[in-house]
Amino acid sequence: MSTFSFDLAATDGRARTGTISTPRGDIRTPAFMPVGTAATVKAMLPGSVRETGADILLGNTYHLMLRPTAERIDRLGGLHSFMNWDRPILTDSGGFQVMSLAGLRKLTEEGVTFKSHIDGSKHALTPERSMEIQRLLGSDIVMCFDECPALPADRDRIASSMELSMRWAARSRAAFGDRPGHALFGIQQGGLEEDLRGQSADALIDIGFEGYAVGGLAVGEGQEAMFGCLDYAPEQLPADKPRYLMGVGKPDDIVGAVARGIDMMDCVLPSRSGRTGQVFTRHGVLNIKNARHMDDPRPLDENCGCPACRGYSRAYLHHVFRSQEIISSMLLTWHNLHYYQDLMAGMRAAIAAGTFAAWQADFHAGRAEGDIDPL
């Protein structure tokens, strides 16, 4: 089996482009990972997700451990076979979802006990159990188990949480074992405190991981604070390993993160927005439910090559959304995912060409223009 590796091909300022190589295929960076929470990207077939340009998907440990269970997926051949996706999959550790349960969970040094949001059944998640679940799923990139406190939080709470996460990171590394062709990523914590982020990075580097994530952001702190943290956090992590910003985000969040040295991102936004009628284009965001689209024969974006833009008018997409037809979620999700992957391809090309600053200016100028005028 071939090994997991990262080749950094070019930089432009702090922005980077390269290739993550895995036995299941290459991941071009900067990379956006569509989220397949329950072993599916909602409203999309796996082949359709691939057609948008996605090299890798994200699966959710918490949801899959509860239903259909990791053990069942393992018996059925692993997550790739189960969901008919033969390319790389990254699974999160389950920590973020468990922490968001608040009143339904109890945190100790050992791990977390919690009640299922589905049926109230009791479960325990520890670094060792998280590694076992992700091994059963067969994911290519595994995330270590951590705690992610919501922001804002006081410094003592952030520091104690970060220190606990670093102890859990060491246990995750030990439990992961020797798995050629698979990678374990550590997760930097520390809130918005630069020194705590530095301590976290040092602890993770001492343990040693195949990649590193910037965790604990996009949890309520706002874009300005997030960018302030990203002005230093990625640089605290090894330059020769992939850097993953978890749970981000809106198009301008993604561009700003790449400009600050991030290589990988994921977010439910493009697929969730597609189901609610929110559409991303080069000229910003539009809502297909608005009456202005009712008689508009034009596509969502005349320069987009997705099926929604090639074959359907705004008037039709408005109609099927208002009529609550399933095809609305299918077409709008496809468009949004296509837009996100075009965004990543544009950044990769610009970084390689050394024109990323000009590309960024064009990106922001296009969004500032707003949607095309109504007819």
Side-chain angles (χ1 to χ4, degrees), residues 227-239:
F227 282 173
C229 183
L230 292 177
D231 282 337
Y232 58 80
E235 296 295 304
Q236 295 173 331
L237 300 170

Side-chain angles (χ1 to χ4, degrees), residues 64-342:
L64 293 173
M65 71 176 279
L66 296 179
R67 185 172 58 194
T69 76
E71 287 74 14
R72 178 169 288 117
I73 290 174
D74 179 48
R75 289 195 300 270
L76 293 168
L79 186 55
H80 296 84
S81 174
F82 187 62
M83 67 181 293
N84 192 29
W85 175 263
D86 63 0
R87 295 191 58 80
I89 295 175
L90 179 149
T91 46
D92 60 16
S93 70
F96 178 81
Q97 284 74 24
V98 169
M99 300 310 158
S100 68
L101 293 173
L104 296 176
R105 53 101 173 165
K106 179 181 179 181
L107 173 69
T108 68
E109 179 70 33
E110 180 62 19
V112 184
T113 55
F114 64 95
K115 291 182 179 179
S116 165
H117 73 285
I118 299 171
D119 58 12
S121 58
K122 291 184 178 180
H123 299 267
L125 200 53
T126 65
E128 292 77 15
R129 176 58 177 156
S130 177
M131 295 304 100
E132 179 186 25
I133 292 168
Q134 294 182 78
R135 179 186 60 78
L136 291 168
L137 295 175
S139 52
D140 306 278
I141 300 177
V142 171
M143 301 306 298
C144 71
F145 190 60
D146 69 331
E147 188 200 6
C148 179
L151 298 178
D154 64 66
R155 180 181 169 87
D156 288 345
R157 170 74 178 93
I158 292 169
S160 63
S161 173
M162 181 272 289
E163 291 163 359
L164 175 63
S165 289
M166 296 307 98
R167 295 192 294 274
W168 284 359
R171 287 168 57 189
S172 295
R173 177 83 265 181
F176 181 80
D178 183 19
R179 298 183 60 201
H182 298 264
L184 180 63
F185 279 26
I187 305 175
Q188 181 199 52
Q189 292 290 352
L192 303 177
E193 307 288 335
E194 184 170 359
D195 61 327
L196 295 182
R197 287 273 173 187
Q199 292 173 32
S200 177
D202 290 344
L204 293 173
I205 292 167
D206 284 344
I207 297 167
F209 293 92
E210 287 74 49
Y212 296 84
V214 179
L217 295 178
V219 289
E221 75 280 1
Q223 188 191 75
E224 183 178 355
M226 180 179 74
F227 282 173
C229 183
L230 292 177
D231 282 337
Y232 58 80
E235 296 295 304
Q236 295 173 331
L237 300 170
D240 62 344
K241 304 288 186 181
R243 299 166 176 167
Y244 165 31
L245 178 60
M246 306 178 75
V248 174
K250 297 178 181 178
D252 53 334
D253 292 336
I254 289 174
V255 173
V258 169
R260 291 165 172 82
I262 293 295
D263 305 306
M264 306 167 68
M265 286 137 288
D266 77 281
C267 191
V268 299
L269 192 61
S271 50
R272 179 179 291 168
S273 294
R275 301 193 302 277
T276 60
Q278 188 177 56
V279 181
F280 296 95
T281 76
R282 294 174 300 108
H283 300 294
V285 182
L286 64 88
N287 287 309
I288 200 63
K289 58 187 154 187
N290 290 348
R292 60 164 285 181
H293 305 297
M294 189 181 300
D295 295 303
D296 197 330
R298 298 172 296 180
L300 296 170
D301 187 334
E302 63 182 9
N303 293 315
C304 177
C306 82
C309 291
R310 290 199 314 266
Y312 301 92
S313 66
R314 292 183 177 213
Y316 177 78
L317 295 169
H318 171 86
H319 159 68
V320 290
F321 180 83
R322 286 290 191 178
S323 302
Q324 299 182 11
E325 292 290 344
I326 294 171
I327 196 173
S328 172
S329 294
M330 296 165 60
L331 289 173
L332 296 182
T333 299
W334 194 322
H335 169 83
N336 282 347
L337 290 175
H338 183 101
Y339 169 80
Y340 268 59
Q341 296 299 341
D342 271 0

